[in-house]
Amino acid sequence: PKRVELIAFDGIPHLMTPVITEGEKAVEILKWLTLEMDGRYRRLAQLKVHNIDTYNRSNKVPKPMPYIVLIVDELADLMMSRADEIEPHLCRLAQMGRAVGIHCVVATQRPSVDVITGLIKANFPTRISFAVASLVDSRTILDTIGAEKLLGRGDMLYLSAELSKPKRLQGCFASQQELERVTRFWSDQARAQPIEVLAYTGEQAVKDPLLEQAKQLAKDHKQISASYLQRQLRIGSARAEELLRQLQEAEAQASQAANPPEPEQPQST
């Protein structure tokens, strides 16, 4: 959402979508990625394999499953505007995405508990902290003190699931000129040798697999609410509200198709 950081990478062949800077599109991408994760698990279940590596090595697969990396810069801005939609999708992807080749990299400059919630922290075992202002910020990121004593300029603490305590490392510096040279090199390679990437469409992002069940419930009952969908389909409130919105849009489109506007009569002079 900062519009100026990741936009430098727009156009490289590795991207499934253009760099997204609007909060609404970011929510759509997270919803689509959650549906993609569920679809991948169904494909793994059909072959009775446990993870993406075993799936790609199987001779029954016509096409290998690509890895996907979701990169979110400045999580604080998204959490301030759409926390009820961002947090559950992000936690689901972090909990279950690894086995099907979906990985998340999340960054923020404001490590407060309302941005890095306990649910998010529990599902991100690998963390990096640069110099922070206070002990509280260090505990929020790493669950321990130490980051407030870092020197800056790439001095950082690295914590992973295999480490019992954070390891001190020196991060590298990449200048704007170097980033431009690297992205230009990647773009030139893509023009010389096209790389196949998955395409993203808005229709695919907003389609919910429970939409047909919700339509059936709407046929059986004249008036339904988001809380009714939430109880009947056993889903969260944010997903129920999104399903209700899709039902309303489908009903509006159906009524518009059934009653097309009459063509204007030419005026006689």
Side-chain angles (χ1 to χ4, degrees):
K2 286 203 291 189
R3 297 177 182 270
V4 293
E5 294 291 339
L6 297 180
I7 202 69
F9 297 93
D10 209 358
I12 64 175
H14 312 80
L15 299 182
M16 291 179 66
T17 76
V19 175
I20 294 164
T21 55
E22 289 83 13
E24 293 182 359
K25 290 186 179 179
V27 174
E28 284 188 1
I29 285 291
L30 285 174
K31 290 178 181 177
W32 172 81
L33 202 51
T34 305
L35 297 177
E36 171 71 14
M37 179 184 71
D38 294 337
R40 288 185 171 205
Y41 267 107
R42 286 192 290 271
R43 278 182 272 169
L44 262 64
Q46 290 174 357
L47 289 183
K48 298 180 180 180
V49 295
H50 293 86
N51 53 41
I52 186 173
D53 294 330
T54 314
Y55 179 89
N56 287 340
R57 286 199 298 267
S58 174
N59 54 8
K60 300 178 182 178
V61 178
K63 189 176 182 181
M65 189 182 293
Y67 286 84
I68 301 175
V69 180
L70 169 72
I71 300 176
V72 181
D73 188 20
E74 202 47 67
L75 179 67
D77 188 76
L78 293 176
M79 291 292 288
M80 285 175 62
S81 58
R82 295 174 172 270
D84 57 335
E85 295 179 278
I86 294 291
E87 185 178 5
H89 288 297
L90 202 57
C91 290
R92 280 205 70 207
L93 290 170
Q95 285 172 341
M96 303 173 60
R98 190 182 305 110
V100 290
I102 298 176
H103 302 273
C104 302
V105 180
V106 179
T108 182
Q109 292 185 10
R110 187 160 68 88
S112 55
V113 291
D114 57 337
V115 176
I116 307 175
T117 62
L119 198 57
I120 290 179
K121 281 178 62 176
N123 294 298
F124 283 83
T126 302
R127 308 170 195 166
I128 288 176
S129 175
F130 293 98
V132 295
S134 64
L135 298 169
V136 177
D137 293 341
S138 179
R139 289 185 185 276
T140 303
I141 303 170
L142 302 171
D143 293 325
T144 184
I145 62 174
E148 75 283 355
K149 298 180 182 178
L150 294 174
L151 304 176
R153 296 183 177 273
D155 195 13
M156 69 181 191
L157 290 176
Y158 167 77
L159 180 66
S160 69
E162 292 80 17
L163 297 176
S164 58
K165 60 181 181 179
K167 177 184 283 188
R168 192 171 183 180
L169 301 174
Q170 175 64 42
C172 62
F173 173 75
S175 65
Q176 186 65 33
Q177 292 78 15
E178 185 175 358
L179 288 179
E180 289 176 358
R181 289 199 302 270
V182 171
T183 52
R184 194 184 311 119
F185 174 76
W186 281 337
S187 300
D188 292 342
Q189 272 196 330
R191 284 192 290 269
Q193 184 178 3
I195 298 176
E196 183 180 359
V197 295
L198 299 180
Y200 161 78
T201 60
E203 292 293 328
Q204 193 178 13
V206 297
K207 188 175 180 181
D208 195 301
L210 294 178
L211 185 58
E212 294 302 323
Q213 297 183 34
K215 286 181 179 179
Q216 188 61 42
L217 290 174
K219 289 180 181 179
D220 298 339
H221 302 80
K222 293 183 178 179
Q223 292 183 349
I224 60 173
S225 62
S227 58
Y228 178 77
L229 290 175
Q230 186 177 354
R231 291 192 304 270
Q232 293 296 320
L233 301 177
R234 297 181 181 180
I235 55 177
S237 59
R239 189 175 182 184
E241 291 175 0
E242 178 65 21
L243 274 173
L244 185 61
R245 185 188 66 80
Q246 293 180 23
L247 288 175
Q248 292 171 348
E249 288 182 355
E251 184 179 356
Q253 291 175 0
S255 61
Q256 187 177 3
N259 302 309
E262 297 181 359
E264 295 182 359
Q265 298 294 333
Q267 296 180 356
S268 60
T269 56

